[in-house]
Amino acid sequence: MTENVVPLFRDPPMVPETAGAVAGDDCPATEPVRVPVRVRWGRAVAGAVRHDRTRTAGRAVVRHTAYVVGGGRIVVRRAWDGRTGARYERMLRAAEVTGNPEVAAEWEERLHRFRAERHRRRMDLLRSPVDAAKGAAVGTGMGIGTLVALGVVLAIANENVGDVVTPLMAVIEFIRLLITIVQVVWGPLLSVAPLLALLALWAVGGKQQAAPAWTLPAASRSDAGAPITPSIVVTALRDLGIAPLRAAIKEMGDAGAGMLGPIRIAGCGVEVDATLPSGVSTAEIQGRRRKLAENLSRHEHEVFITIPQAARTVRLWIADSGALDEPIGPSPLVTDGTLTADYKRGKAPWGQDLRGDAAELGLFQRMLLITGMSNQGKTAALRALALWLALDPKVEFRIADLKGVGDWGMFDGIATTLIQGPTDDHVIDATEMIEGGVQEMNRRIQAPPGTDFPPLVLLVDEAQVAFMCPAQDDKKNPYGGSKATSRYFMACRKIHNQGRAVNVVLWQGTQDPTNENLPKLVREGAHTRASLALGTESQARMALGDKAVDGGAAPNLLRPGLDKGTLVVASDGITIPAGQASITVRTHYISTDQAAEIADRIRARRDGVTTLHVIDQTEDRDPLADIATVIGDTPRTLTQEVLKRLTALSESAYGKWSFTDLTQALDGTGAEPYKSDGRMVISRDRITRALTNRDDDTGSASATG
C-alpha cells in the first residue's frame, strides 16, 4: 500500500511502519515500509509572515504602491480644480457650513468671475484655428521670402547663381535632422514615458504621505513634538469620532481650515480658536480631550480646552512637547529682597500661566479656598500668598496649622496667633480663633461708618481636620460638622457673610474635598477658589464650582506628583482671558528654608509682634501671666488691644471680659490701667514688676512655711 504525496518544498519525512500496520492485522509482517507524514507547512508560512523583515517588506510594497495611487488622485484633483470651479464651490460650501454669509458671498462672486473668464477663453479658442492658419501662412511666406533674399545676397557675393537656394536648403536639412532625431528617440521615449509618469506620481504621493498610516516608517508615523499646523489641528478634530463634525469638514472646500482662527504663540505652546459647525457642541469636544491630545501627538495634560466668548467655539491651548515638565523660575519673593506688598492695590506674584505670563492674584477683601490631593503643594501655594501679604505691616495674621509639622513655624513673630497641631485641642483652639475673628468683625461692624480697619486674615491650613472633629463643648455643641450647632462651621459662615466689608477674611486649605469635610455653604463662600490635582470631576466641581468646570476647568486631569504646584484658579482677582471661567497657574515653589529667610525680612518690617501659641484647654488661667504674654515687648498697650489678644488666647476664659474685668484682675498689683495721651493703656514694665513681686512673695511664703 503506497501513497503519492507531492512535497511543498522538499520530500516529506518518512517513518518506518510494519506492513501489518499498513495493510491490516491479517497481513504478515515481512519488511518495514516507509509511510509519508504530512507536515503543517501553513504554520511555517504564517510564522514567516509574522517575521519583522517580512512585515517591513510588505509595508514597503503597500506604501510605495499607495504613493503612486495617491499621487494620481492628487494630480487628477489638482487638474480638475484648475479646469473647473470645484475649488470655489468647496470654499463656498465651507463658508456656508461655518455660518459666514459674507465670506460665502465673496467666494460666490469669485466663482462667477472664474466662469466668465473661462467662457471668454473658450470663445477665443474657437476663433484660434482661423487666426492660427492666417498667421502660419503669413509667417511662412515671410520666412521663405527672407531666405530667398538672403540667397540672392550670397549669390551676388559669391558670383554663383546656385547660392540663391542655399539658405532654403539649409533650413530643409535642419528640419530633416530634427525628424531623424525624433524618429530615433520616439520609440524609447514611448517605452520610458509610462515609467516617468509613475515616478512623478510616486514623488507627489510620497511628498504628501498619501499612504495608510500603518505602512509609513516609524520616523514618519511619530509626530511627537511636531509643530502645530492648521492641517494637524483640523485632522485631529476630524478624527475625534464625531460624525457631524467629520461630515462637515469633508464638505468644506478648504478641508476645514476655515474653522480655525490664527494660530498664536502662547507661552510654551500655541493657542487657536476652532469654530464648530452646526450640530456639534463644545461639550462633545471637551469630553474627548484625551483623544484630541493623542491626535495632536501630545499627552493629555499638554492640551487644554476652554470656551471663549464666541458662540460654538472652543479654544485649544497646545503645549510644546515636554514643556510643562520643565520647572518655572524662582519666586520674586526669593530673588527680590526689596519687594513690598500692598493689601488694597497690590497683587501677589504667584506663578505663571500656561502662556508664560506672570500670574498675579489680588487678595483685597477676598475669601480664599485652596484644595487638592495630599502632597501636591497646597500648603506651599497658600504660604506663598501669606508671605507676600505679610510684607504689608498693616495686615494681621491669625494662623491655625492643623497639620502641625512646622510648615508655618516661620510665622512665629509675624502672626498674632499661631496654632500648630492636629489634635482635638488644636481644633478647639482654631475654632476659638475663628470665633474671636467673628467678635472682632462684629465690633468693627458696630463702629461709626467710614472707619478704616486694618486687614485681619484668619488662616486655617488642613481645615478638613476641623470639619471632621468629633469633640463637643460643655453644651454638647460639636466643634466639627456642618450643622447649625457646629461651632467651626458657623464661625466660618459668619465670616463669609459679613467679614469682607470690614477687612476680616478667611483663608482655608483642605484636602480631597467632600460634602463632609468641606460643606457646600463654606466652599461657596470663597471668592477665590483654586484647586491642585484631584481625583474625580465631582471633586473638581466641589473645589471650583459648576461654572468653572463647565467652562473647561479640569483639575481632575492634572497628574498627581508630576503637576505639583499647578493650580486651576477661578477668581476675579486674577487676570483670566475673556470668555474663560478659570485659568491654570504654575506656582513658584518657595521651600521652608526660603520661607524662613523671607519671614526674617517681614519681621524686620514689623514692630515686635507677640505670637500666641496653643494653650492647653484644661489648665487654669493666670490672668496676670496671660496679660504679660499678650503684651510682649511693647512698652504700652491699649486696654482694648489687650482684651482682644486675651480673647484670642482663650475664648472660654476671656471671651466675655470687659474693661471692668480687666481692671479688677489688675487691682492691687501696681499694674492697673492708666491714661496715656487720653487713652487707657497697660504698662509692660509695671506688669513685669508685678509678676516679679508676686513670685518673690510666693517664694518668701514658701521659705517661711
Side-chain angles (χ1 to χ4, degrees), residues 407-597:
D407 289 337
W408 295 89
M410 71 288 301
F411 277 82
D412 192 356
I414 299 174
T416 55
T417 301
L418 180 59
I419 302 167
Q420 299 183 91
T423 67
D424 290 349
D425 286 340
H426 294 94
V427 172
I428 293 172
D429 284 324
T431 303
E432 292 179 349
M433 181 190 80
I434 301 298
E435 290 175 342
V438 173
Q439 290 186 356
E440 173 64 16
M441 175 189 72
N442 292 333
R443 184 189 68 80
R444 295 182 177 189
I445 290 175
Q446 295 171 5
T451 305
D452 187 17
F453 300 106
L456 172 60
V457 177
L458 306 170
L459 192 154
V460 181
D461 195 10
E462 307 296 342
Q464 76 279 356
V465 177
F467 285 113
M468 300 300 291
C469 178
Q472 296 180 340
D473 62 13
D474 296 338
K475 298 179 181 180
K476 302 300 182 181
N477 292 324
Y479 285 93
S482 57
K483 298 180 180 178
T485 57
S486 300
R487 292 181 59 178
Y488 182 83
F489 169 74
M490 291 305 299
C492 292
R493 289 291 301 131
K494 291 175 182 177
I495 296 293
H496 281 165
N497 289 339
Q498 295 178 300
R500 182 192 65 81
V502 289
N503 279 343
V504 178
V505 296
L506 175 62
W507 294 4
Q508 295 183 95
T510 68
Q511 287 184 18
D512 292 332
T514 65
N515 287 323
E516 289 73 26
N517 66 23
L518 187 60
K520 177 179 175 63
L521 291 178
V522 171
R523 60 180 185 253
E524 295 291 342
H527 304 99
T528 295
R529 302 168 71 173
S531 176
L532 295 116
L534 288 173
T536 64
E537 181 179 326
S538 62
Q539 287 184 315
R541 292 183 180 276
M542 291 180 187
L544 300 176
D546 292 335
K547 180 180 179 181
V549 174
D550 292 338
N556 53 301
L557 297 181
L558 295 174
R559 302 167 298 167
L562 297 177
D563 290 326
K564 276 188 177 183
T566 299
L567 288 158
V568 181
V569 184
S571 172
D572 61 350
I574 193 170
T575 302
I576 297 178
Q580 296 182 201
S582 65
I583 188 172
T584 301
V585 176
R586 304 172 69 197
T587 58
H588 297 294
Y589 175 68
I590 302 176
S591 67
T592 303
D593 293 339
Q594 292 172 335
E597 296 176 1

Side-chain angles (χ1 to χ4, degrees), residues 217-251:
S220 299
R221 293 197 304 269
S222 177
D223 294 330
I228 298 299
T229 61
S231 62
I232 290 177
V233 176
V234 171
T235 302
L237 292 171
R238 182 198 65 192
D239 296 340
L240 283 179
I242 303 175
L245 179 60
R246 185 180 185 88
I249 292 175
K250 186 177 180 180
E251 290 295 325

Side-chain angles (χ1 to χ4, degrees), residues 18 45 69 74 84 156 205 210 287 314 316 347 522 598 646 679:
T18 61
V45 174
V69 176
I74 293 171
T84 67
I156 295 174
V314 292
L316 307 179
K347 289 191 173 184
V522 171
I598 299 170
L646 286 173
R679 305 185 69 180

